[in-house]
């Protein structure tokens, strides 16, 4: 494996992501997805108990639960070790979707194989959503029914594994999408500059005098 090429690809991907942040369409994908996944994962931090409370409690108590879960995205009233992996995953997922939205608009009439990675990442994060330290995930009810008291411990292990796997795949996908974003934006700028020169031949001639 050529590690230098890998590092160069990551460097180019980083530049692509930085260029993407200057585009409004990137933020149209990043902000909603970041907030959605952050809220979802904080609501699932105790399994499905918060959802049960939302439906059981009336107004305005259910809004308080939603508000507490929302501010939890930013680490407020959250244990640091529980907050950090959730926040990291939400950031990665937000960047991925932001890049996909940006590329989708820039290459609307083209087919991009890299866009298919979004479904894999979303599925892995949905399965791993929950609290890494308290051992609850979306799989907890099913595993609890099968393994009884051992279900919670196994769910915690699966949550950790799936979360790590989701982060690894997200980073690899970011590399691919980041490079493609960099190439797309640079090519777009080159074509725009070339078109501008072609439409202003007089200005070009004046510079040559």
């Amino acid at each position: 494996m050529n590690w230098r090429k890998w590092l160069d690809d990551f460097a180019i991907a980083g530049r692509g992501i930085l260029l993407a942040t200057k585009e409004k369409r990137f933020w149209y994908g990043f902000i909603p997805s970041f907030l959605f996944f952050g809220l979802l994962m904080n609501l699932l931090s105790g399994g499905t108990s918060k959802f049960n409370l939302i439906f059981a409690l009336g107004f305005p108590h259910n809004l308080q639960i939603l508000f507490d879960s929302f501010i939890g995205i930013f680490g407020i009233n959250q244990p640091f070790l529980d907050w950090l992996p959730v926040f990291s995953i939400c950031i990665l997922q937000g960047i991925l979707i932001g890049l996909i939205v940006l590329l989708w608009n820039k290459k609307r009439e083209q087919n991009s194989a890299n866009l298919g990675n979004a479904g894999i990442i979303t599925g892995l994060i949905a399965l791993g959503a929950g609290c890494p330290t308290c051992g609850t995930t979306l799989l907890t009810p099913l595993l609890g029914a099968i393994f009884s008291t051992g279900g919670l411990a196994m769910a915690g292990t699966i949550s950790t594994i799936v979360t790590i796997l989701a982060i690894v795949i997200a980073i690899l996908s970011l590399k691919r999408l980041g490079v493609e974003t960099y190439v797309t934006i640079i090519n777009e700028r080159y074509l725009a500059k070339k078109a501008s020169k072609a439409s202003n031949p007089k200005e070009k001639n004046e510079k040559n005098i």
Side-chain angles (χ1 to χ4, degrees), residues 21-180:
T21 59
K22 299 177 182 180
E23 303 267 353
K24 290 182 179 180
R25 285 173 292 186
F26 170 82
W27 296 105
Y28 293 159
F30 174 84
I31 294 176
S33 59
F34 169 75
L35 295 178
F36 171 77
F37 279 100
L39 180 61
L40 176 64
M41 295 181 76
N42 278 290
L43 284 173
L44 292 168
S45 62
T48 57
S49 59
K50 288 185 180 179
F51 279 103
N52 294 333
L53 284 175
I54 288 175
F55 290 111
L57 298 175
F59 183 85
H61 301 290
N62 46 12
L63 291 182
Q64 183 64 46
I65 295 174
L66 291 173
F67 178 75
D68 291 339
S69 298
F70 178 81
I71 62 175
I73 299 174
F74 308 99
I76 301 174
N77 300 325
Q78 293 287 331
F80 180 76
L81 292 179
D82 291 346
W83 169 77
L84 184 60
V86 171
F87 184 78
S88 300
I89 289 177
C90 293
I91 287 287
L92 290 172
Q93 182 69 17
I95 294 174
L96 278 171
I97 294 180
L99 292 179
I100 289 171
V101 170
L102 180 62
L103 286 173
W104 185 271
N105 282 277
K106 289 185 176 295
K107 307 173 85 172
R108 188 174 298 176
E109 297 179 355
Q110 301 177 17
N111 292 323
S112 176
N114 289 337
L115 300 182
N117 290 332
I120 299 175
I121 303 301
T122 303
L124 287 171
I125 290 177
L127 287 175
C131 171
T133 57
C134 65
T136 56
T137 71
L138 285 175
L139 299 176
T140 297
L142 177 61
L143 294 176
I146 297 175
F147 298 103
S148 187
T149 55
L152 289 175
M154 182 171 291
T157 302
I158 291 176
S159 176
T160 302
I161 293 173
V162 172
T163 299
I164 293 174
L165 183 60
I167 291 175
V168 170
I169 296 178
I171 291 174
L172 294 177
S173 297
L174 274 178
K175 181 175 76 71
R176 297 178 63 186
L177 286 174
V179 169
E180 184 173 348

